[in-house]
Amino acid sequence: LAKTTQPISMDSYEGQEVNITCSHNNIATNDYITWYQQFPSQGPRFIIQGYKTKVTNEVASLFIPADRKSSTLSLPRVSLSDTAVYYCLVGDPWASGTYKYIFGTGTRLKVLA
Amino acid sequence: NAGVTQTPKFRVLKTGQSMTLLCAQDMNHEYMYWYRQDPGMGLRLIHYSVGEGTTAKGEVPDGYNVSRLKKQNFLLGLESAAPSQTSVYFCASSYDRTGGGYTFGSGTRLTVV
């Protein structure tokens, strides 16, 4: 299970593009990179998952460089409702033989008017 | 609507009391999990289950017990509540072992006084 490092918090203004970078230097060959979003008083919800290069869906884009030691979640034109905590998860939670998923503290994004 | 339902949503217990939190999913998922989240912290895994009739300990299992008698239900029990168990509890389920398939419930806010 790869250790991940994300910024603790970020502020942005409405309408701006927000990029949140996650470092995962010891990512394994078969590891996927997954991002979750958690609004206040709610459980996390899946945003996007990727393995390499670029993945895009209706909510976000995920950029993964060739060495895969980091990844960047990109949120286009954020609004106040994008204020949330964003978690970067990397790896196989079952790699050790038992389940182990570390959500960490995530990145707290605050969107300002 | 399909998803994960947690009951109750709020509860206040006195120290030493017991209670059971119920998690129900209607997606036929094999895997189910209980997490706790404390202010400013990430999610910590309490217990999990890989199928009906199975349970296993997570990172912080002490003071909790679980049961998975039916595939769709995962119960979390507190036999003798302590103030340190004041937290928000989230249940989740997934259909496979990758990182992208988690569905979380909306949480149970528990206060132990």
Side-chain angles (χ1 to χ4, degrees), chain A residues 36 38 44 87 94 99 101 104, chain B residues 35 37 42 48 97 99 102 104:
Chain A
Y36 280 79
Q38 184 180 22
Y87 298 94
W94 302 92
Y99 177 75
Y101 228 155
Chain B
Y35 286 89
Q37 186 171 39
Y48 65 96
R97 293 186 166 194
Y102 295 95
F104 280 81

Side-chain angles (χ1 to χ4, degrees), chain B residues 41-100:
Chain B
M41 297 182 68
L43 294 154
R44 291 187 291 171
L45 181 67
I46 305 172
H47 285 280
Y48 65 96
S49 169
V50 301
E52 182 179 315
T54 73
T55 63
K57 295 180 180 180
E59 304 169 67
V60 289
D62 294 341
Y64 305 95
N65 57 74
V66 288
S67 64
R68 184 111 180 258
L69 300 180
K70 294 183 179 181
K71 186 177 184 178
Q72 63 268 34
N73 295 335
F74 195 28
L75 279 60
L76 177 70
L78 287 74
E79 292 185 346
S80 179
S84 61
Q85 295 178 304
T86 293
S87 188
V88 180
Y89 292 86
F90 289 102
C91 175
S93 69
S94 67
Y95 52 83
D96 64 14
R97 293 186 166 194
T98 70

